Amino acid sequence: MERKNPGTDFRLDWFENIQVNTPAAERRAASLAARRSLKKEWQAAWLLNAVRCIDLTTLSGDDTPDRVARLCAKARQPVDAGQLAALGVDHLTTGAVCVYPTMVAAAKRALRGTAIPVASVATGFPAGLMPLDLRLAEIRYALDQGADEIDIVISRALVLRGEWAALYDEICEMREACGSARMKAILATGELKTLSNVAKASHVAMQAGADFIKTSTGKEPVNATLPVSLVMLRAIRDYRHQTGFAVGFKPAGGLRTAKDALNWQVLMAEELGRDWLRPDLFRIGASSLLADIERQISHHVTGRYAAAHRLAAG
């Protein structure tokens, strides 16, 4: 998969003086739901769009090739074919499947014959507290197994100490190890303490060549939130203005309901425009979210909510 963001030289002056007004960011994020109300056919269309942007994920200690194969079957057919037909849609898949490096080969086998990419976490996910040479070796292992995309984790300590040049250099090495694969940089925003740190880390990751910036591993005490996402999207907008390159965004962890899927898409549309609402620029890291989206789509098509056992298992 061809990369899109070539990165830049390290430019401290682009972000050094950023100070985020946290109450203002929280107010803006809280106002989003009231700004755009999506009903009936519009809501169904936005929910289907969310499905095609999902990185369907399993990152558990008890993952097995069989579990990954079931997840991949769900990625191939995430919504009932009859309901898709009722909505005038011929075919729909999720944006990707995301797994640990040791599960990449199983995912590739299960997705053979499709265009669904396999994303692998790497670099000592979720904490990233491994020597750099081992983190880079894990990227290369995942690529050797067939990964199309790599979700790397940054060193939170470098952010907390304000060692921006060191963070840039480290991410550049990860970017080089990823080669032509799409690289998503996980900022683990729940561990960065301030929204100003989130903004600065976003700029550093993009300057170092990240194709996406991602909120969370899903393993932090606080994962994706709308205020954090707002700050990251504004960093993406600034980077686009400064370089001309569009970087993608991936909220992960904490998105569980169809309403969450709608709120994050409204945020994307309001801050970056509807051009970002496609899988090459927007992904949702989720495992449980899809079931609630299916329930809402079923209700729209049939007028009633499907029982849980009627929904295909992920």
Side-chain angles (χ1 to χ4, degrees), residues 130-179:
M130 286 167 49
L132 181 58
D133 59 338
L134 296 181
R135 284 180 278 160
L136 298 176
E138 190 176 27
I139 291 173
R140 291 188 283 268
Y141 172 82
L143 293 172
D144 286 345
Q145 294 295 298
D148 305 293
E149 304 176 358
I150 302 291
D151 289 29
I152 62 108
V153 289
I154 69 166
S155 295
R156 285 69 125 182
L158 296 178
V159 175
L160 298 176
R161 293 197 297 263
E163 296 179 17
W164 305 114
L167 179 64
Y168 171 85
D169 289 342
E170 192 171 273
I171 299 174
C172 281
E173 290 201 54
M174 296 174 182
R175 171 69 268 179
E176 184 177 4
C178 287

Side-chain angles (χ1 to χ4, degrees), residues 7-204:
T8 67
D9 294 334
F10 179 61
R11 294 292 304 270
L12 181 63
D13 58 305
W14 284 6
F15 63 85
E16 185 177 21
N17 295 320
I18 288 177
Q19 293 295 327
V20 176
N21 182 329
T22 297
E26 291 172 345
R27 282 195 303 273
R28 165 68 175 162
S31 74
L32 285 167
R35 291 174 65 86
R36 185 173 302 193
S37 180
L38 298 165
K39 303 293 185 185
K40 299 185 178 178
E41 289 81 8
W42 287 103
Q43 183 180 97
W46 282 60
L47 290 176
L48 290 178
N49 189 68
V51 171
R52 76 183 187 118
C53 294
I54 288 177
D55 280 3
L56 200 57
T57 301
T58 183
L59 295 168
S60 300
D62 57 354
D63 283 343
T64 64
D66 284 346
R67 171 184 281 178
V68 168
R70 289 194 298 274
L71 192 77
C72 291
K74 188 65 176 169
R76 284 171 172 260
Q77 183 69 63
V79 177
D80 177 77
Q83 292 180 5
L84 285 182
L87 293 168
V89 177
D90 294 330
H91 180 65
L92 183 72
T93 70
T94 64
V97 167
C98 185
V99 294
Y100 277 117
T102 51
M103 293 293 120
V104 168
K108 291 294 284 188
R109 283 194 301 272
L111 293 173
R112 191 173 293 133
T114 76
I116 303 169
V118 173
S120 175
V121 296
T123 65
F125 178 95
L129 293 175
M130 286 167 49
L132 181 58
D133 59 338
L134 296 181
R135 284 180 278 160
L136 298 176
E138 190 176 27
I139 291 173
R140 291 188 283 268
Y141 172 82
L143 293 172
D144 286 345
Q145 294 295 298
D148 305 293
E149 304 176 358
I150 302 291
D151 289 29
I152 62 108
V153 289
I154 69 166
S155 295
R156 285 69 125 182
L158 296 178
V159 175
L160 298 176
R161 293 197 297 263
E163 296 179 17
W164 305 114
L167 179 64
Y168 171 85
D169 289 342
E170 192 171 273
I171 299 174
C172 281
E173 290 201 54
M174 296 174 182
R175 171 69 268 179
E176 184 177 4
C178 287
S180 62
R182 179 174 279 156
M183 186 179 84
K184 308 191 201 89
I186 307 172
L187 305 186
T189 54
E191 296 175 345
L192 299 188
K193 305 301 183 191
T194 69
L195 290 180
S196 296
N197 278 345
V198 170
K200 293 174 182 180
S202 297
H203 277 278
V204 173

